[in-house]
Coordinates of all heavy atoms in Angstrom, one line a residue:
L128 N 10.3 5.6 4.5 CA 9.0 5.2 3.9 C 7.9 5.7 4.8 O 7.9 5.5 6.0 CB 9.0 3.6 3.9 CG 10.1 3.0 2.9 CD1 10.1 1.5 3.1 CD2 9.8 3.3 1.5
F129 N 7.0 6.4 4.1 CA 5.8 6.9 4.9 C 4.6 6.2 4.5 O 4.2 6.2 3.3 CB 5.7 8.4 4.6 CG 5.3 9.2 5.7 CD1 6.1 10.1 6.4 CD2 4.0 9.1 6.3 CE1 5.8 10.8 7.5 CE2 3.6 9.8 7.3 CZ 4.5 10.7 7.9
L130 N 4.0 5.5 5.5 CA 2.8 4.6 5.2 C 1.6 5.3 5.4 O 1.3 5.8 6.5 CB 2.9 3.4 6.1 CG 1.9 2.3 5.9 CD1 1.9 1.7 4.6 CD2 2.2 1.2 7.0
S131 N 0.7 5.5 4.4 CA -0.5 6.1 4.4 C -0.3 7.7 4.7 O 0.7 8.2 4.4 CB -1.5 5.5 5.4 OG -2.8 6.0 5.3
H132 N -1.4 8.3 5.3 CA -1.3 9.7 5.5 C -1.4 10.1 7.0 O -2.0 9.4 7.8 CB -2.4 10.5 4.7 CG -3.8 10.1 5.1 ND1 -4.3 8.8 4.9 CD2 -4.7 10.8 5.8 CE1 -5.5 8.8 5.4 NE2 -5.8 9.9 5.9
I133 N -0.9 11.2 7.3 CA -1.1 11.8 8.7 C -1.7 13.2 8.5 O -2.8 13.5 8.8 CB 0.2 11.8 9.5 CG1 0.7 10.4 9.8 CG2 0.0 12.6 10.8 CD1 1.9 10.3 10.7
S134 N -0.8 14.1 7.9 CA -1.3 15.4 7.5 C -0.3 15.9 6.5 O 0.9 15.5 6.6 CB -1.5 16.4 8.7 OG -0.2 16.8 9.2
T135 N -0.7 16.8 5.7 CA 0.3 17.3 4.6 C 1.3 18.1 5.3 O 2.6 18.0 4.9 CB -0.5 18.2 3.6 OG1 -1.5 17.4 2.9 CG2 0.4 18.8 2.6
D136 N 1.0 18.9 6.3 CA 2.1 19.6 7.0 C 3.1 18.7 7.7 O 4.3 19.0 7.7 CB 1.4 20.6 8.1 CG 0.7 21.7 7.5 OD1 0.9 22.1 6.3 OD2 -0.2 22.3 8.1
Y137 N 2.6 17.7 8.3 CA 3.5 16.8 9.0 C 4.5 16.1 8.1 O 5.7 16.0 8.2 CB 2.8 15.8 9.8 CG 3.7 15.0 10.8 CD1 4.0 15.5 12.0 CD2 4.3 13.8 10.4 CE1 4.9 14.8 12.9 CE2 5.2 13.1 11.2 CZ 5.5 13.6 12.4 OH 6.4 13.0 13.2
I138 N 3.9 15.5 7.0 CA 4.7 14.8 6.0 C 5.7 15.8 5.3 O 6.8 15.4 5.1 CB 3.8 14.1 4.9 CG1 2.9 13.1 5.6 CG2 4.7 13.4 3.9 CD1 2.0 12.4 4.7
S139 N 5.3 17.1 5.1 CA 6.2 18.0 4.5 C 7.4 18.3 5.4 O 8.5 18.5 5.0 CB 5.4 19.3 4.3 OG 4.5 19.2 3.3
N140 N 7.1 18.3 6.8 CA 8.2 18.5 7.8 C 9.2 17.4 7.7 O 10.4 17.6 7.8 CB 7.5 18.5 9.1 CG 8.4 19.3 10.1 OD1 9.1 20.2 9.7 ND2 8.3 19.0 11.4
I141 N 8.7 16.1 7.4 CA 9.7 15.0 7.2 C 10.4 15.1 6.0 O 11.7 15.0 6.0 CB 8.8 13.7 7.2 CG1 8.1 13.4 8.5 CG2 9.8 12.5 6.9 CD1 8.9 13.2 9.7

Side-chain angles (χ1 to χ4, degrees):
L128 294 170
F129 217 109
L130 185 58
S131 189
H132 63 288
I133 293 181
S134 73
T135 298
D136 288 343
Y137 189 86
I138 298 175
S139 292
N140 205 30
I141 298 291

